[in-house]
Amino acid sequence: MSDTQKLMPALSTPRRDLLRREIYRQFGVDGRKTLFLLLLLFAIPADDCSAQTPPPPVDEHAFERVPPTVVKRLATRFSLGAFAGRFEETRLGAVREAVGEGTIRHQGDAGDSIYWLCYRRAQHRLWVVSSGEMGGPDHLVTEIVEELTEKDAGASADCAIIPEKFSPVVLDSKLHLGMSRQEVITALGPPSKSEAAQIVYSHEGKLADGFDETAWLILGFGEDKLVSMRGGKTTTN
């Protein structure tokens, strides 16, 4: 087995199959829900790859009974300080080149494949993700995940330290960690789903070229402050 293969452990099949059965039971298999199912399956880390610090798995309940109520497009742009990128247009390699740090990691294969960059700064942990076939051969960015940790993220040496000039991380030119719940709602409008510690924004739309676009924001709160955000989108024909 090559060194590359050792760094690419397969997803845990029992865990994947268990989640698949639960999602099918909850949602059925219509088109939009299928996209969310694929997103969930892409994000499940292998049991033995903790050293690579993959993106945290999607909360399987995050999209439960969430209608796509947001009319405006979501998760079109992101920025790391002065670096500006666009979902499904910017390559993971371009982010790596701009930051000058980090290693593109890979997990899984075919439809279960994900590629990512992981960064840390103080209590911030950031993942820039290209999800399987959605990101294509150029590994286009399909998702951004950032969260605050209770301890200094510097204690984990497997993610590269991101220079200060690449902060803050901002989604759609307005969303960043530390915002209050009311500031988020003022900026984005009413959420598609709202709970005490989490709100979800869901969008579906038809693009000018006839392709279907699905986008999401999953936002977590602690003491009324935004402490985690997960935003991304996929385009299908």
Side-chain angles (χ1 to χ4, degrees):
M1 179 181 292
S2 68
D3 290 340
T4 300
Q5 289 174 314
K6 292 177 182 178
L7 291 174
M8 300 181 182
L11 293 178
S12 170
T13 300
R15 291 175 63 203
R16 185 171 63 245
D17 290 345
L18 178 62
L19 179 58
R20 181 186 289 113
R21 288 195 297 271
E22 177 62 16
I23 298 297
Y24 274 66
R25 184 181 68 81
Q26 292 280 350
F27 296 143
V29 206
D30 63 62
R32 179 174 68 89
K33 303 292 175 29
T34 300
L35 287 176
F36 288 151
L37 170 62
L38 289 173
L39 173 66
L40 294 172
L41 294 179
F42 291 160
I44 301 174
D47 291 337
D48 59 350
C49 68
S50 58
Q52 296 187 52
T53 313
V58 177
D59 178 359
E60 59 264 36
H61 300 299
F63 293 117
E64 187 174 347
R65 294 182 293 277
V66 179
T69 61
V70 180
V71 176
K72 292 182 179 180
R73 298 181 71 194
L74 294 174
T76 59
R77 304 182 302 279
F78 64 90
S79 60
L80 313 180
F83 176 82
R86 297 188 69 88
F87 289 96
E88 297 189 296
E89 294 183 21
T90 300
R91 297 177 297 106
L92 276 184
V95 177
R96 166 66 183 81
E97 291 166 12
V99 175
E101 302 286 348
T103 301
I104 296 176
R105 301 290 192 180
H106 174 250
Q107 175 178 287
D109 52 50
D112 293 332
S113 172
I114 61 170
Y115 294 81
W116 73 88
L117 287 162
C118 179
Y119 293 109
R120 57 193 168 96
R121 176 181 61 82
Q123 289 182 279
H124 292 251
R125 183 68 68 86
L126 168 68
W127 291 266
V128 185
V129 184
S130 179
S131 295
E133 296 172 351
M134 300 296 184
D138 291 331
H139 309 314
L140 303 179
V141 176
T142 58
E143 193 171 36
I144 295 285
V145 184
E146 188 184 22
E147 63 182 22
L148 288 174
T149 60
E150 293 184 0
K151 298 181 180 180
D152 194 316
S156 176
D158 56 316
C159 292
I161 296 175
I162 191 167
E164 183 70 27
K165 67 179 181 179
F166 292 99
S167 63
V169 177
V170 181
L171 302 183
D172 288 338
S173 302
K174 65 184 81 172
L175 190 66
H176 58 84
L177 296 189
M179 298 175 69
S180 70
R181 190 184 188 99
Q182 187 55 53
E183 286 174 330
V184 170
I185 294 174
T186 298
L188 300 177
S192 303
K193 179 181 179 180
S194 179
E195 296 179 343
Q198 185 181 80
I199 60 178
V200 179
Y201 288 85
S202 175
H203 163 81
E204 277 187 4
K206 182 77 72 173
L207 301 177
D209 57 9
F211 281 66
D212 295 312
E213 179 181 69
T214 300
W216 58 91
L217 294 171
I218 306 175
L219 311 177
F221 293 86
E223 298 182 355
D224 196 45
K225 294 295 183 182
L226 185 61
V227 295
S228 69
M229 60 182 186
R230 184 177 206 123
K233 77 182 185 77
T234 57
T235 301
T236 57
N237 56 11

